[in-house]
Amino acid sequence: MRETLARNLRKYRRAQYLSQEELGHRAELDRTYISSIERCVYSATVDVVGRLADALGIPALELLRPASESAEAKSSSATSAEGAGTKGQPKKGAKPSRKSEEPAQRRAIATRKKPGP
């Protein structure tokens, strides 16, 4: 159960582009405690699971749902959304395009010197 909570907490936090610090602020928990939960170092109480779920805007049950049940729910919703397409979403393992790079990264790449003759 601890591993399920850790996996789901990380998944939902990252899906919302939240840092552990920001989630901790929203749930009134220390960021190191959230890190410890995600690494399965500590168990969370029911109250903490509720606070995390509220901070993420999801039902607490979603944080405790095993991966197999989540996969079944996704597959049934994916078949109903079939044909909607995934335009604009990169394939798994694909390198990010230059458009997705930060401006500073693009400048650094553009200003790299090439070896001389």
Side-chain angles (χ1 to χ4, degrees), residues 98-115:
R98 287 196 157 216
K99 286 182 181 180
S100 66
E101 293 174 346
E102 295 294 322
Q105 290 174 318
R106 286 192 297 243
R107 280 193 301 274
I109 291 169
T111 58
R112 285 186 192 147
K113 292 187 178 185
K114 295 188 179 185

Side-chain angles (χ1 to χ4, degrees), residues 5-66:
L5 173 61
R7 186 180 322 105
N8 289 338
L9 179 60
R10 184 177 297 116
K11 177 181 78 171
Y12 284 107
R13 178 180 62 78
R14 287 181 176 173
Q16 294 183 26
Y17 301 101
L18 293 175
S19 65
Q20 291 174 343
E21 186 171 6
E22 178 60 26
L23 178 58
H25 178 72
R26 291 181 183 189
E28 297 180 357
L29 298 167
D30 192 82
R31 71 163 178 82
T32 59
Y33 185 59
I34 293 183
S35 172
S36 296
I37 293 171
E38 287 186 358
R39 291 180 292 124
C40 297
V41 174
Y42 293 137
S43 296
T45 64
V46 173
D47 293 334
V48 168
V49 171
R51 288 166 63 179
L52 290 167
D54 288 344
L56 291 167
I58 60 173
L61 179 61
E62 290 302 312
L63 290 176
L64 301 173
R65 188 179 307 261

